[in-house]
Amino acid sequence: MLKKIFLVFLIVIFSITLYANSERYRIQIGDVLEIYNYGYSDLSQTVTVGPDGIVELRLVGPKSALGKTPEEFASLIEGDYKKHANESRINVIVKSRTPKFVYVMGEVVSPQNVNIVLREDITLLEILSLCGGPTEVAELTELKLMRNGLTKTIDISPAFNGLEWSERVFLEPDDMIIIPKKYNRRVYLFGNTGKSGPVYFEQKEPMTLNYLLSKMGFNSDVMLPEIKIHRDDRILQFDALYVFNNLEQIKLETNDIVVINKVDERFCYVTGRADGGKIIFDKEEKMSLRTLMGKLSVDMKYLPTLTILHADGTIDSFDSKRLETFDFELKNGDIIQFPISKRVYLIGNAPQKGEIVFSNHEELTLRALLIKIGYQLEEPVEISILGPDGEERVVSTENLMKRDVSFQSGSIIEFPEQRYVNIVGDISSESDRFMFRYDEPMTLKTVIQRFNAIPIETGISVTILRGLEQYQYDTKEVFYSEKKIELLKGDTLVFEKDRERYVLLLKEDNKLSKIYFKANEEMDLFQLFIKLGTISEIWNDEVRVMLPNGDIRITNIDDVLSQKANMQLEPKSMVMLPETYRSVYCFGNTGVQGEIFFKRNEPFTMRQLIIKTNANITKSTEDIIVKTNKETKRYNPEEFMDIEMDVSLEPDSIILFKPFIPKRVSIFGEVEQPGVKVFEQDEPLNLMMLLTKAEGFKYNADRNISIIDSSGNKKVVDFENLSDPTSVELSDRSYVIVDENLDQYVLLLGDVRSPGVKFMKLKEMSLLQLLSQAGGVLDWDKNTRIEITRSNGKKEIIDTDKEPVNLNDITVKVGDIVYVVPSNRLKIYVFGEVLAPRILRYYEGLTLFEALLQCGGPKDSAYLTKILYYKGGIDNYPQVVDLSNIKWSEPTEQVYLQPGDVIYVPKSALVDILRVTGFIGSMITFSSASLDVYNTMTQSDVQFPVDYYSDDSGSNDQTDSSNQNQ
């Protein structure tokens, strides 16, 4: 006993040492608990905490476990156990915990229910990371957090837009997070269609009533065609079938309420039948009495008289004959009453008890009842019948075959009382009362046959106690005898074994039993082991025999089995087979936990423990901690991968296979694969490994990285200036934000395929790389002049001399402005009612009429009498040119154009010159002003090469000019 107390003390000290700094878990509803009673193993059990927080325990009954730590609950129930079993020592282990979910819905990559039972301090950002983060169309300013019936709106957009967001929102079980979608096109559907609520329209979807009906799957078979639209203080009414058939487009507006209802159900009610209740008729079914009988599978031949109660209070009656010639149409809400079935109630010693139902066509007689319940008429019995009117009579089954007995529905039929005897003594019985079936003879042989009480091990006698009388018999003689020994109701049968040739056996857990020997069997240890049929592996080697006179003899099991030291036993001796003390207590990352016993022939070593418990010694186990009464040792699990490595164990040691919990870091922002990254035991937890798991930076990523640890502390790391990125260590549950690079860029303008702001991964790159990333220069033969304005204001003029490879030696740095000078700024702008409005390349001698022809000519809708001609650009007031004569093939006045001229062909005479001028100005700004923008930003005055006109003057290559300028 002292040893067990010391063992419990070691367990408590070991648990306190490992978990002193953590708050103990408190038992919740639904948890599965292991209740270990080290004093009485048969009282150990597995229980589940019920909805009321109660667990049902053997011996002590219901106990409340809700809100208690396992240690508190163990201490509580240990006192209750000791009231009945004073050696009880209780330990409570939470085998499985009730999951605690946080529900994430809406616009996240992976909506799901997240179990936070092991992470009760989890934050809102961490939950979103586990769900893959918000989608591109998520409304980050309107995140809804629902808790305990209350809704809170949270703006999380700063965290995803590179702004400071220090709010740490901790979540609780049953929290619901909803991220809505960015929508401004919606209507609300209302009615009994089962689809009520908001209906959203994508930008590409037409917001019309036709499309809404298609979107919701409008079915004219089950839905009414009348549709109402509530808009502000108006109600608009439409017919859905007319809208569909005539393809009429009814436009909807945001926040419209569309009311659609289903077609009314066609139904009736059926009472008096088990399959009754509300009966629904389909649209194509005839709602009549014959159809109803078919739906209920009623045979018309046995149709009883039906009563039909209509909604207006009138009543009709129908029977099978009337229904053969006349079908009755039903109305909504009609009640069809079947007559209540004929039934009787059985009590007493009958094959069936309780309610017996007769069909309407079955006769209600005693003969039909006996056949229905399968009663065998071996001997006449008297049956009592109590009618529903209170009349009682007794009938005999002796002449039942000649004369049947009728009774009324609702009668109570009582069969003869139950026949029984009482059973006591040395025989296994679930009850102390033996019940004879109605078809069994009430004899002693019946009892012996049912109990299989044949003397197999030793002689068994039975004594019949009947009042003051006693009758003793040998069960074997009764079993083989033809003589019937009649029993009376209430007799007591006492079964007794031969009480002389037996030994007492004391096994593990102090279990005491009797082992009987036959008269012809040797009473020795070897024969005892044969009778036991097995040798338990948890027995100790030692066997002790206590003789009736008190002497004790000792031997061992192996010598007895080999008959080297067999020992004769005296009747009533006690044989003690003590349990082995070679056991340890194992917890953690193993398949089997708790007390682990080692067999007599098993090595008492760590390697054997690993095999017995299916322990995990891979990287998922961090340490193996062994606690004895002297010291605590730690082992690396991988050491035991070596077959030669082994460690001897000490009895009652406590061994923890400490699981490795992977560390997690969340990374957001401009990386290729953001989200939660898991670090295994052999992976270094540093910045370089995290960026590797995230597949590196995006092209526009800022190298100033924000790192926020689990406590909320923030630091910024300049990745470019790190001599060793692996030196930046990260902590578990921290998160890293890589913002967009808003400073490290160059501005590329001019004749390149993709001009604009270009982000730089590094602070400098070659000019050739920059131009290549922008799709290259439009024409290397003509665009040979490049100007670079450095961030300090200095300018460099570069002439490529038609050898682009030379640009690889020129460096472009952050903040520079690179301008590829266009080869041709001489353009003519044509807008309005022409087949192909475009920007034309100017050449000397180009006329206004030729410019219109190069644009495909005027449209049929063109108003040629009032063509607006802006000479020199839109800064000048337009001239009006009349080319209407070209429709009649008459000569027109030649208007010669100059560079920068703008032509606008109107559609009618009512042209607004100011509006047209504003429109043309905005078009020209985006199409031809890159050089002006560049000169303004850089304070430059870029000029074209001197030989420009000599190279291209007079050229009429319209196709090349058009393509280049486009």
Side-chain angles (χ1 to χ4, degrees):
M1 180 174 177
L2 291 176
K3 184 176 181 180
K4 292 183 178 179
I5 295 175
F6 181 69
L7 178 59
V8 174
F9 176 77
L10 286 179
I11 294 176
V12 173
I13 295 300
F14 186 64
S15 302
I16 293 175
T17 303
L18 291 178
Y19 306 106
N21 296 324
S22 62
E23 183 180 352
R24 293 295 287 136
Y25 175 76
R26 295 192 176 275
I27 298 170
Q28 303 295 321
I29 293 174
D31 287 351
V32 178
L33 307 180
E34 288 282 356
I35 311 295
Y36 286 99
N37 190 327
Y38 293 101
Y40 304 89
S41 61
D42 55 333
L43 294 179
S44 297
Q45 64 183 114
T46 301
V47 295
T48 301
V49 182
D52 53 358
I54 301 296
V55 295
E56 296 289 343
L57 301 178
R58 297 173 188 162
L59 192 65
V60 300
K63 294 294 175 184
S64 175
L66 183 64
K68 301 178 178 62
T69 66
E71 293 81 7
E72 291 172 350
F73 187 53
S75 176
L76 172 67
I77 62 177
E78 185 173 294
D80 295 320
Y81 275 107
K82 284 185 176 181
K83 294 178 183 178
H84 309 280
N86 58 3
E87 294 295 326
S88 296
R89 296 294 182 270
I90 305 300
N91 186 27
V92 177
I93 297 175
V94 181
K95 189 173 183 181
S96 66
R97 301 178 180 181
T98 305
K100 298 179 179 179
F101 288 111
V102 170
Y103 307 92
V104 185
M105 298 181 293
E107 291 304 317
V108 291
V109 174
S110 177
Q112 58 184 288
N113 303 335
V114 182
N115 187 2
I116 63 169
V117 68
L118 300 178
R119 285 289 312 278
E120 295 187 358
D121 58 345
I122 197 165
T123 65
L124 177 60
L125 284 182
E126 290 173 322
I127 284 288
L128 296 182
S129 300
L130 293 173
C131 297
T135 63
E136 294 180 356
V137 296
E139 181 56 78
L140 300 180
T141 62
E142 294 290 335
L143 181 143
K144 306 294 183 185
L145 174 60
M146 304 176 67
R147 177 181 297 166
N148 299 327
L150 301 177
T151 301
K152 179 181 179 182
T153 301
I154 302 175
D155 182 3
I156 62 171
S157 59
F160 295 91
N161 293 326
L163 303 178
E164 188 71 23
W165 195 69
S166 58
E167 183 179 1
R168 290 174 60 79
V169 181
F170 291 95
L171 300 178
E172 298 178 3
D174 296 327
D175 279 357
M176 184 172 293
I177 300 167
I178 303 175
I179 300 182
K181 195 172 185 178
K182 288 182 179 178
Y183 273 116
N184 55 8
R185 305 174 76 235
R186 65 179 179 271
V187 298
Y188 295 91
L189 187 62
F190 183 78
N192 60 354
T193 62
K195 299 181 180 179
S196 296
V199 178
Y200 298 99
F201 292 81
E202 303 286 350
Q203 291 298 328
K204 61 182 179 180
E205 292 180 324
M207 195 170 172
T208 64
L209 181 58
N210 309 58
Y211 193 81
L212 172 65
L213 296 177
S214 300
K215 196 179 182 76
M216 63 166 287
F218 182 84
N219 186 352
S220 60
D221 291 336
V222 297
M223 298 180 184
L224 294 174
E226 293 80 10
I227 297 175
K228 293 182 180 180
I229 298 178
H230 294 253
R231 180 178 298 164
D232 299 329
D233 56 349
R234 296 177 296 161
I235 299 178
L236 310 178
Q237 296 189 356
F238 300 94
D239 187 296
L241 299 180
Y242 180 82
V243 171
F244 272 131
N245 295 334
N246 294 276
L247 301 177
E248 184 175 358
Q249 299 296 322
I250 308 299
K251 291 186 177 181
L252 300 176
E253 296 181 5
T254 298
N255 296 330
D256 278 355
I257 301 176
V258 182
V259 181
I260 303 175
N261 291 298
K262 283 186 177 179
V263 176
D264 292 336
E265 286 184 333
R266 302 165 68 236
F267 64 92
C268 66
Y269 297 98
V270 172
T271 61
R273 288 178 57 90
D275 56 352
K278 187 176 182 180
I279 307 298
I280 305 295
F281 289 81
D282 294 336
K283 182 178 180 180
E284 64 277 2
E285 287 183 326
K286 182 180 180 182
M287 191 171 174
S288 67
L289 202 55
R290 287 182 182 175
T291 304
L292 177 63
M293 296 302 107
K295 293 173 74 72
L296 298 176
S297 301
V298 174
D299 190 343
M300 295 293 189
K301 296 179 180 179
Y302 302 111
L303 180 67
T305 300
L306 304 177
T307 301
I308 303 176
L309 176 62
H310 302 292
D312 58 4
T314 59
I315 299 176
D316 278 308
S317 295
F318 272 83
D319 55 19
S320 57
K321 293 183 179 180
R322 186 179 178 190
L323 196 59
E324 287 177 0
T325 58
F326 178 71
D327 192 8
F328 183 78
E329 292 190 5
L330 302 174
K331 297 180 180 180
N332 264 17
D334 282 355
I335 301 174
I336 293 83
Q337 171 69 59
F338 280 76
I340 298 175
S341 301
K342 296 178 291 185
R343 60 198 68 204
V344 295
Y345 304 92
L346 304 189
I347 59 176
N349 192 13
Q352 298 182 36
K353 296 180 179 63
E355 183 183 69
I356 305 297
V357 179
F358 285 74
S359 301
N360 289 296
H361 62 277
E362 290 182 314
E363 294 183 357
L364 201 58
T365 66
L366 183 58
R367 185 192 303 166
L369 174 64
L370 298 181
I371 295 173
K372 197 175 187 68
I373 65 175
Y375 192 92
Q376 298 182 12
L377 295 174
E378 295 184 354
E379 297 180 359
V381 295
E382 292 185 344
I383 299 176
S384 298
I385 302 175
L386 177 63
D389 54 359
E391 181 183 355
E392 185 176 1
R393 54 181 171 151
V394 178
V395 298
S396 175
T397 62
E398 184 174 5
N399 298 318
L400 191 62
M401 298 305 295
K402 297 179 180 179
R403 182 181 178 184
D404 203 355
V405 177
S406 299
F407 44 79
Q408 296 178 336
S409 177
S411 297
I412 300 175
I413 313 300
E414 183 180 5
F415 284 78
E417 281 292 334
Q418 296 178 340
R419 302 173 299 160
Y420 66 90
V421 293
N422 300 309
I423 302 295
V424 295
D426 300 330
I427 195 167
S428 177
S429 174
E430 296 180 358
S431 173
D432 58 358
R433 176 171 289 188
F434 180 92
M435 308 298 300
F436 290 88
R437 293 193 297 266
Y438 72 95
D439 56 345
E440 284 182 328
M442 194 171 176
T443 63
L444 180 59
K445 188 173 184 179
T446 300
V447 179
I448 295 174
Q449 287 176 328
R450 286 266 299 275
F451 275 132
N452 195 21
I454 304 173
I456 297 176
E457 295 183 349
T458 184
I460 300 178
S461 62
V462 57
T463 301
I464 302 175
L465 303 181
R466 185 178 297 156
L468 299 177
E469 301 176 357
Q470 296 186 9
Y471 307 95
Q472 187 171 8
Y473 301 92
D474 184 274
T475 57
K476 186 175 182 179
E477 294 177 358
V478 174
F479 183 80
Y480 290 107
S481 174
E482 296 296 330
K483 181 181 179 181
K484 292 185 179 181
I485 302 174
E486 300 288 343
L487 298 176
L488 300 180
K489 179 180 177 180
D491 284 351
T492 299
L493 307 185
V494 182
F495 289 85
E496 293 181 301
K497 292 183 178 180
D498 186 348
R499 297 186 175 275
E500 295 297 328
R501 292 177 57 80
Y502 71 87
V503 296
L504 298 173
L505 181 63
L506 184 64
K507 297 190 296 183
E508 70 277 8
D509 296 331
N510 296 325
K511 293 180 179 178
L512 185 63
S513 59
K514 287 183 179 181
I515 305 297
Y516 287 92
F517 290 82
K518 298 179 182 179
N520 58 348
E521 287 180 334
E522 292 290 336
M523 290 189 65
D524 56 31
L525 283 177
F526 183 77
Q527 191 65 31
L528 173 64
F529 289 155
I530 292 176
K531 292 178 75 66
L532 293 177
T534 182
I535 303 297
S536 175
E537 295 292 345
I538 64 172
W539 291 347
N540 201 359
D541 289 337
E542 182 181 270
V543 181
R544 294 190 177 194
V545 179
M546 180 182 292
L547 301 177
N549 60 6
D551 293 342
I552 296 178
R553 298 179 184 177
I554 300 175
T555 184
N556 63 75
I557 292 177
D558 292 335
D559 289 346
V560 172
L561 294 177
S562 62
Q563 294 191 344
K564 293 180 181 179
N566 193 12
M567 184 184 300
Q568 294 294 322
L569 301 175
E570 296 182 14
K572 303 181 182 179
S573 297
M574 178 181 291
V575 179
M576 292 171 283
L577 299 172
E579 183 180 358
T580 179
Y581 293 104
R582 297 200 309 168
S583 66
V584 295
Y585 297 87
C586 187
F587 304 94
N589 203 4
T590 61
V592 181
Q593 299 184 3
E595 188 173 12
I596 307 299
F597 290 94
F598 284 75
K599 300 177 182 179
R600 293 182 297 106
N601 56 353
E602 284 183 326
F604 194 40
T605 64
M606 179 66 74
R607 178 170 293 279
Q608 187 66 22
L609 175 66
I610 293 172
I611 296 172
K612 288 176 70 67
T613 60
N614 193 23
N616 192 335
I617 57 174
T618 63
K619 294 179 180 179
S620 62
T621 300
E622 186 174 355
D623 286 312
I624 300 177
I625 305 174
V626 180
K627 176 72 175 179
T628 65
N629 58 351
K630 298 178 181 179
E631 59 183 350
T632 299
K633 293 183 179 180
R634 292 178 178 266
Y635 298 95
N636 186 347
E638 294 185 355
E639 295 178 4
F640 294 95
M641 299 295 288
D642 185 358
I643 195 170
E644 297 181 357
M645 173 62 182
D646 206 353
V647 175
S648 297
L649 301 176
E650 295 184 17
D652 301 328
S653 296
I654 302 174
I655 301 171
L656 172 64
F657 288 81
K658 185 178 179 181
F660 172 77
I661 302 176
K663 297 178 175 57
R664 290 173 167 80
V665 178
S666 303
I667 183 168
F668 303 97
E670 302 305 317
V671 291
E672 295 295 339
Q673 293 293 333
V676 178
K677 307 303 175 185
V678 179
F679 289 77
E680 300 299 336
Q681 188 174 6
D682 57 347
E683 291 181 325
L685 187 59
N686 57 50
L687 181 59
M688 191 65 190
M689 179 58 71
L690 176 64
L691 291 174
T692 302
K693 287 178 174 288
E695 299 185 8
F697 296 106
K698 287 186 177 180
Y699 74 96
N700 59 340
D702 191 352
R703 277 13 183 214
N704 290 320
I705 302 174
S706 300
I707 302 175
I708 304 175
D709 62 21
S710 57
S711 300
N713 301 319
K714 179 180 178 181
K715 67 177 180 179
V716 179
V717 176
D718 185 357
F719 186 81
E720 294 298 333
N721 292 327
L722 290 176
S723 58
D724 181 12
T726 61
S727 64
V728 181
E729 296 183 353
L730 305 176
S731 61
D732 186 23
R733 293 184 294 170
S734 61
Y735 53 94
V736 176
I737 300 177
V738 180
D739 290 324
E740 186 178 19
N741 184 357
L742 300 178
D743 299 322
Q744 199 160 309
Y745 65 88
V746 295
L747 183 62
L748 180 60
L749 300 173
D751 278 10
V752 291
R753 299 189 184 278
S754 178
V757 177
K758 304 298 179 184
F759 291 95
M760 300 180 63
K761 294 183 179 179
L762 304 176
K763 292 187 177 181
E764 60 181 41
M765 63 191 304
S766 73
L767 179 58
L768 183 60
Q769 287 178 312
L770 175 64
L771 295 175
S772 299
Q773 291 180 7
V777 175
L778 293 180
D779 192 340
W780 283 106
D781 291 336
K782 296 179 180 180
N783 299 103
T784 61
R785 184 181 176 88
I786 301 174
E787 179 170 322
I788 302 177
T789 301
R790 300 297 183 181
S791 57
N792 58 7
K794 294 183 179 180
K795 302 176 180 60
E796 300 177 15
I797 306 297
I798 300 167
D799 191 340
T800 64
D801 197 19
K802 300 182 180 180
E803 291 293 336
V805 70
N806 296 332
L807 302 181
N808 196 44
D809 299 329
I810 300 173
T811 301
V812 178
K813 298 182 180 180
V814 171
D816 290 350
I817 301 176
V818 179
Y819 182 71
V820 179
V821 181
S823 61
N824 182 6
R825 294 191 66 203
L826 306 181
K827 301 176 182 178
I828 302 296
Y829 302 88
V830 182
F831 300 98
E833 294 299 303
V834 291
L835 293 178
R838 66 178 61 181
I839 302 173
L840 301 177
R841 181 178 181 183
Y842 171 78
Y843 57 90
E844 188 174 358
L846 178 64
T847 67
L848 188 150
F849 179 72
E850 291 174 342
L852 295 182
L853 293 180
Q854 289 188 30
C855 294
K859 294 181 179 179
D860 293 338
S861 59
Y863 186 71
L864 301 179
T865 306
K866 194 177 180 180
I867 296 176
L868 300 183
Y869 169 44
Y870 296 82
K871 187 169 182 148
I874 60 171
D875 293 335
N876 301 318
Y877 196 80
Q879 303 176 19
V880 177
V881 179
D882 184 359
L883 293 182
S884 59
N885 291 337
I886 65 174
K887 289 187 175 182
W888 316 107
S889 301
E890 296 179 4
T892 61
E893 181 184 356
Q894 294 290 345
V895 179
Y896 291 95
L897 303 179
Q898 297 295 327
D901 286 354
V902 179
I903 302 168
Y904 180 76
V905 180
K907 192 172 184 180
S908 70
L910 301 177
V911 59
D912 187 340
I913 294 178
L914 292 180
R915 185 177 64 82
V916 170
T917 303
F919 163 73
I920 296 174
S922 63
M923 295 294 294
I924 294 176
T925 298
F926 287 105
S927 62
S928 65
S930 62
L931 180 58
D932 297 331
V933 172
Y934 170 71
N935 288 334
T936 300
M937 294 178 62
T938 63
Q939 301 300 316
S940 300
D941 187 16
V942 177
Q943 302 294 329
F944 289 104
V946 177
D947 60 349
Y948 173 77
Y949 294 100
S950 61
D951 287 344
D952 294 335
S953 177
S955 173
N956 197 24
D957 188 0
Q958 299 175 6
T959 303
D960 177 68
S961 174
S962 175
N963 292 338
Q964 181 176 353
N965 284 284
Q966 290 179 34

